[in-house]
Amino acid sequence: MRLSSFLAVFRPALPLILGLSLGCSLSLLMVSWTQGDTYDSCGDELGDRGLFLGSNRGDPPGDQRGGPGNEDFQLRIIPYHKDPNKPHKKVLRTRYIHMELGIRERLLVGVLTSRATLNTLAVAVNRTVAHHFHRTFFFTGLRSSKVPHGMAVVAHGDDRPVWLMYETVRHLHQHYGLDYDWFFLAQDDTYMQAKRLAELVDHLSTGQDLYMGRSEEFIGGEERARYCHGGYGYLLSRSLLARLQPHLDTCRNDIVSVRPDEWLGRCIIDYLGLSCVEVHQDMTYRYFELGKNADPEREDSAQFKNAFTVHPVSEPNLMYRLHKRFSQIELDWTYLQIQQLQVQINNLSELTPESKMGAIWPIGVNPPFRPKTRFEVINWEYFTEEHIYSCSDSAPKCELRGANWADVSAVLETAVEHLNERYKPQLRFRKRSLLNGYRRFDPTRGMEYVLDLALEAFTQKGHSQVIAKRVSLLRPLSTIEIIPMPYVTEATRVQVILPVTAREQDFVGNFLDMYVMNTLDTHDNVLLTFLFVYDPFDAQRVSQSDVFAGIKAMIGEVEKRYGNVRIPWISVKTAVPSQVKLMDIISKKHPVDTLFFLASVWTEVNADFLNRCRMNAISNWQVFFPAHFQEFSQAIVYRDQQTSASFTAEALHDGHFDRHVFEEACFYNADYMASRTKMAADILDNDELLESMDVYEIFVRYSGLHVFRAVEPALVQKYVRRACNPRFSEDIYHRCVLSNLEGLASRSHLAMALFEQEQANST
């Protein structure tokens, strides 16, 4: 009875008691388990003020992971304490990030040549493989009177072979020892496979001494050490070059040898203890010895096809034939790889849910672009063998010529060639005519073609029949290549040139206000020069009434407000203000290294565009012609609405990029003067040529530079109807008229305006 009453009293607390008991029991068990670990590494690590990565608690203090038997790294935190007594020094950053990170280029190639073969064999080496390497230098003893164009030639002043080798090795270490991991030396009678040599050094570890090439015994053959034969080229590591540098002078004085490659091998063996090797890290140096009367087109051995270098090459013509043969071998190997990959993709497509229907033609190329809306549909262009029905000037039909004609001709020839390849020997086809042709550019895969061909098919027995066949072709996009460009900065001074006529002086006030706000107030490195263009009538009355007096007064106010600013002007009298004639006057009054920005009175100068002008105009390389954004007429676009305050991404429908105007331009004075010099011969018999051309056409025809034409959202112009001068050339006048017409409003705005006008007239 007492027990039942006792349990009735403690029954509500029974779960609590059981939980406490179980918790205490588990805690005691855990304490007994952890007492076996007598070493606590945490205290030692904190006491040593170090942090170890991946250390085990049970390891003894002398067996940390940072020891010699382990591969993990020991990390240390180094505190930074700034000394208040020392002046602050500005941190100088390197120009390129790879310099700051210590990243070096992989391979530099040096070709040993002579004055007798510099213009023959060395030129052949330069034309065949030099452009495939990052840097290629041609080392010679004495420079010939005429140095080939486009070659980096280093003359040491002595034709002795050993002296040439000594100076070459010393030059490479002194000037490029810190910039490259590997150095490859060869003679000018050696043909090199650039791609295979690059793959070789990519598979070799840097930071080790390596002397690799075709090993040869020394004269006498008594020693086991070998040197690398210079005719087949040899590879030197950067670390070996650094270790060899202190011993070069001793080798030059003590080692006597006639062959430069043998002298270098002897120097490396005597002072570094390294011998030439042909195999290293499972990589084999492959070479081929060319026979005296060998024909490269008939060489078909595996040793020839896999060779890195071929020697000897006795004449330049043989060098070009070797390059053609190896290029064909690489091309055949590439096509074979493509076929193998296509077979693999076709076999794997059977395992997909769509089975073989999921394989997109052609196999291995991106699928066609799938539009999500009707506005994204890519239009097909229709063409025949004589005409194309999609013209640049919006005409419905134009003659097929130029690049379009070459494109269509190549496609027709390729189509017939592939048909004959596919159906031979049963059938042979000959093109009769093109019935229909369609093409479109798909940005995801390339140019697509659909051709309806009238073909005459011939059988093996000589029978023929005319058939119609539809074929589809694709010209795929190739690998994207980064074009190297010269280094430019945003600190270059820009010289703004503003031509002004009497009809345009009403817009100068807004131009000057924007120039003051965006350049003078921000202290930008920009200068401005006005070019006042007087017609003959205004020039006669300039002493009584100057049509540009108001503008000159505004210039004076700006110079008064900014004491250290001077805005010069130049006055010109002409009835036809040709852009080329005006630029000739400006060019003569400025240094050759001046960066010009040719502006118009409607241009609004700002810092964003000026920086792009500096970056896109590169001396002796590229000129920049931006396409400004032209706002539509506010009277049509905003008939009953509030006008747009500024150019934004949402306001793209309020204007368009004017591709018909070439008034704004950025270029260097030296490039313009060089182009005008080339043009001088054409204008001797045709003085009117200057009036029929603008600066853009001069650079396109006579400069040979990159003419960069791109849209520029930072250049925004208000709508204005320009006065087109009929005395200019027909092309310039036509572009001016089209600019006025297309700049009026968009099609939807014009349609709405016509609709409202018809509604108003009907009522």
Side-chain angles (χ1 to χ4, degrees):
M1 190 69 182
R2 290 181 179 179
L3 180 61
S4 61
S5 60
F6 179 79
L7 292 175
V9 173
F10 286 97
R11 182 172 293 175
L14 187 61
L16 178 62
I17 295 172
L18 292 175
L20 291 174
S21 302
L22 183 61
C24 293
S25 301
L26 293 176
S27 299
L28 292 174
L29 290 174
M30 292 295 295
V31 169
S32 64
W33 290 344
T34 56
Q35 283 179 350
D37 298 333
T38 58
Y39 171 70
D40 188 5
S41 62
C42 181
D44 290 341
E45 291 175 4
L46 293 177
D48 292 338
R49 300 179 68 181
L51 182 63
F52 295 89
L53 182 63
S55 61
N56 297 326
R57 294 193 58 181
D59 294 340
D63 191 23
Q64 297 292 347
R65 291 296 183 97
N70 301 284
E71 296 181 357
D72 290 341
F73 296 95
Q74 178 179 345
L75 305 179
R76 293 182 58 193
I77 300 176
I78 302 177
Y80 172 73
H81 301 286
K82 182 180 179 181
D83 190 354
N85 298 324
K86 293 184 178 180
H88 174 70
K89 293 183 178 180
K90 183 179 179 181
V91 179
L92 298 177
R93 302 294 298 273
T94 56
R95 174 178 291 184
Y96 302 104
I97 189 172
H98 72 86
M99 294 181 179
E100 186 167 331
L101 298 179
I103 301 175
R104 291 181 291 269
E105 297 291 342
R106 296 292 292 175
L107 181 63
L108 183 144
V109 176
V111 180
L112 302 177
T113 182
S114 64
R115 181 169 56 178
T117 59
L118 179 61
N119 292 286
T120 54
L121 286 174
V123 171
V125 173
N126 182 66
R127 290 180 176 178
T128 53
V129 298
H131 56 281
H132 293 288
F133 296 114
H134 185 264
R135 292 290 294 274
T136 304
F137 290 94
F138 294 86
F139 298 96
T140 180
L142 297 176
R143 187 190 300 267
S144 60
S145 58
K146 184 179 180 181
V147 179
H149 180 70
M151 294 174 56
V153 180
V154 179
H156 296 312
D158 198 323
D159 269 340
R160 289 176 294 176
V162 174
W163 181 271
L164 177 62
M165 176 63 70
Y166 161 76
E167 289 290 344
T168 298
V169 175
R170 191 173 66 88
H171 180 89
L172 291 176
H173 177 268
Q174 181 178 357
H175 294 88
Y176 306 101
L178 301 177
D179 300 332
Y180 292 85
D181 289 328
W182 300 96
F183 299 86
F184 185 79
L185 294 178
Q187 300 172 181
D188 57 4
D189 59 348
T190 304
Y191 175 77
M192 296 169 282
Q193 264 290 302
K195 181 180 178 181
R196 298 176 187 176
L197 288 173
E199 291 177 352
L200 173 65
V201 299
D202 286 339
H203 286 80
L204 296 176
S205 301
T206 59
Q208 57 183 342
D209 298 339
L210 181 61
Y211 179 38
M212 190 176 190
R214 174 181 172 174
S215 60
E216 290 283 338
E217 294 183 356
F218 286 96
I219 298 176
E222 299 178 357
E223 301 182 16
R224 297 180 59 184
R226 293 171 175 265
Y227 72 95
C228 290
H229 193 287
Y232 301 93
Y234 41 88
L235 198 64
L236 303 175
S237 64
R238 185 181 65 90
S239 58
L240 182 143
L241 211 61
R243 289 183 55 197
L244 185 64
Q245 172 63 21
H247 308 290
L248 286 177
D249 292 336
T250 306
C251 293
R252 183 193 59 183
N253 298 327
D254 297 346
I255 299 177
V256 179
S257 178
V258 179
R259 294 176 56 91
D261 50 2
E262 186 177 350
W263 172 85
L264 180 63
R266 173 67 65 185
C267 183
I268 295 175
I269 293 170
D270 291 350
Y271 292 94
L272 302 184
L274 292 177
S275 179
C276 178
V277 296
E278 295 187 5
V279 181
H280 181 74
Q281 294 181 352
D282 296 332
M283 299 298 296
T284 304
Y285 188 86
R286 307 181 187 277
Y287 51 87
F288 183 80
E289 183 175 358
L290 196 65
K292 185 175 182 181
N293 297 319
D295 186 3
E297 284 77 10
R298 296 182 179 180
E299 292 290 345
D300 202 30
S301 62
Q303 184 182 4
F304 176 81
K305 291 182 177 180
N306 299 324
F308 298 161
T309 58
V310 177
H311 175 79
V313 183
S314 57
E315 56 180 0
N317 186 34
L318 183 58
M319 184 80 71
Y320 297 132
R321 292 168 60 194
L322 280 169
H323 186 64
K324 177 184 177 181
R325 174 61 176 150
F326 275 100
S327 299
Q328 186 63 45
I329 292 174
E330 291 292 331
L331 189 61
D332 295 341
W333 180 77
T334 303
Y335 283 142
L336 179 61
Q337 275 194 320
I338 292 175
Q339 293 177 1
Q340 293 174 352
L341 290 174
Q342 287 178 340
V343 172
Q344 294 178 9
I345 294 173
N346 195 25
N347 295 335
L348 290 175
S349 63
E350 297 181 358
L351 305 177
T352 61
E354 298 85 0
S355 187
K356 285 191 175 182
M357 299 298 295
I360 304 298
W361 179 89
I363 298 176
V365 181
N366 294 333
F369 172 73
R370 296 183 178 274
K372 297 180 180 179
T373 64
R374 64 185 180 90
F375 301 102
E376 298 178 356
V377 175
I378 303 175
N379 296 327
W380 288 88
E381 297 179 354
Y382 179 77
F383 61 88
T384 62
E385 293 185 84
E386 294 82 17
H387 298 89
I388 186 170
Y389 293 81
S390 177
C391 308
S392 58
D393 56 354
S394 301
K397 176 182 177 182
C398 56
E399 184 180 355
L400 192 65
R401 58 185 178 182
N404 291 323
W405 179 85
D407 178 52
V408 172
S409 300
V411 168
L412 292 175
E413 182 179 352
T414 303
V416 177
E417 180 182 346
H418 278 265
L419 285 174
N420 288 324
E421 184 70 21
R422 181 174 182 179
Y423 292 101
K424 70 177 185 181
Q426 290 81 10
L427 292 175
R428 181 173 56 88
F429 296 96
R430 186 177 65 186
K431 182 181 71 71
R432 294 286 296 269
S433 63
L434 173 64
L435 303 178
N436 301 291
Y438 309 89
R439 71 176 183 179
R440 71 172 184 178
F441 177 73
D442 190 334
T444 62
R445 47 199 266 133
M447 186 70 78
E448 299 177 344
Y449 304 87
V450 176
L451 306 177
D452 293 332
L453 297 173
L455 301 170
E456 187 174 2
F458 297 89
T459 63
Q460 291 180 322
K461 295 182 179 180
H463 302 292
S464 64
Q465 183 179 355
V466 178
I467 61 174
K469 193 171 185 65
R470 167 166 287 191
V471 295
S472 299
L473 298 95
L474 173 68
R475 192 193 298 270
L477 294 173
S478 59
T479 305
I480 299 175
E481 180 180 358
I482 299 177
I483 301 177
M485 299 291 287
Y487 180 79
V488 293
T489 64
E490 296 182 357
T492 308
R493 173 177 292 178
V494 179
Q495 176 66 62
V496 181
I497 304 298
L498 182 64
V500 183
T501 63
R503 298 180 180 180
E504 302 170 343
Q505 58 180 330
D506 295 337
F507 305 96
V508 176
N510 180 69
F511 175 90
L512 204 55
D513 293 340
M514 298 300 296
Y515 173 80
V516 170
M517 180 176 63
N518 295 328
T519 60
L520 298 185
D521 291 343
T522 59
H523 303 285
D524 202 344
N525 194 11
V526 181
L527 298 178
L528 174 62
T529 298
F530 278 86
L531 187 63
F532 296 130
V533 182
Y534 292 87
D535 59 26
F537 178 75
D538 292 333
Q540 294 177 357
R541 301 186 306 114
V542 67
S543 58
Q544 294 84 13
S545 175
D546 190 354
V547 293
F548 297 110
I551 301 178
K552 295 178 180 179
M554 288 189 291
I555 295 174
E557 293 178 1
V558 173
E559 292 179 345
K560 185 177 180 181
R561 190 193 317 171
Y562 301 90
N564 58 343
V565 174
R566 293 294 178 268
I567 303 178
W569 68 73
I570 302 173
S571 299
V572 179
K573 182 184 73 171
T574 177
V576 182
S578 170
Q579 193 180 37
V580 178
K581 289 183 177 180
L582 299 180
M583 200 60 227
D584 287 345
I585 299 174
I586 293 294
S587 177
K588 296 177 182 179
K589 297 181 179 296
H590 291 83
V592 294
D593 59 346
T594 303
L595 173 58
F596 287 130
F597 167 41
L598 197 57
S600 66
V601 293
W602 303 284
T603 304
E604 296 182 359
V605 181
N606 56 75
D608 290 340
F609 168 73
L610 290 176
N611 287 332
R612 275 192 285 272
C613 177
R614 297 182 178 102
M615 300 298 290
N616 292 328
I618 306 174
S619 180
N620 199 29
W621 186 269
Q622 179 173 281
V623 294
F624 179 42
F625 285 84
H628 65 258
F629 185 83
Q630 180 73 49
E631 293 184 355
F632 289 141
S633 174
Q634 297 180 359
I636 298 178
V637 177
Y638 306 104
R639 294 180 301 279
D640 300 324
Q641 305 174 13
Q642 185 177 359
T643 60
S644 176
S646 61
F647 170 73
T648 60
E650 292 78 10
L652 283 173
H653 61 279
D654 296 342
H656 73 121
F657 288 100
D658 196 344
R659 59 189 179 92
H660 300 293
V661 176
F662 296 85
E663 293 180 352
E664 292 93 356
C666 295
F667 52 88
Y668 280 86
N669 191 17
D671 296 335
Y672 177 79
M673 295 175 65
S675 302
R676 285 289 284 114
T677 302
K678 295 180 181 179
M679 182 186 175
D682 293 344
I683 63 176
L684 292 177
D685 301 330
N686 188 5
D687 295 337
E688 297 180 356
L689 186 61
L690 291 178
E691 299 179 0
S692 64
M693 298 180 63
D694 53 10
V695 176
Y696 174 78
E697 291 181 89
I698 288 181
F699 279 114
V700 170
R701 293 188 184 183
Y702 300 101
S703 68
L705 306 176
H706 295 274
V707 180
F708 183 38
R709 175 73 166 166
V711 296
E712 180 51 68
L715 280 183
V716 183
Q717 293 188 12
K718 303 294 183 182
Y719 171 77
V720 62
R721 185 173 182 83
R722 290 179 172 85
C724 300
N725 194 335
R727 300 190 62 178
F728 287 149
S729 67
E730 182 180 355
D731 183 53
I732 297 177
Y733 180 78
H734 183 62
R735 292 204 308 257
C736 179
V737 173
L738 286 178
S739 176
N740 286 333
L741 294 177
E742 294 184 4
L744 188 61
S746 64
R747 292 185 177 182
S748 59
H749 291 134
L750 293 174
M752 186 60 66
L754 290 175
F755 177 76
E756 293 177 358
Q757 184 178 359
E758 290 181 358
Q759 290 290 334
N761 294 336
S762 62
T763 58

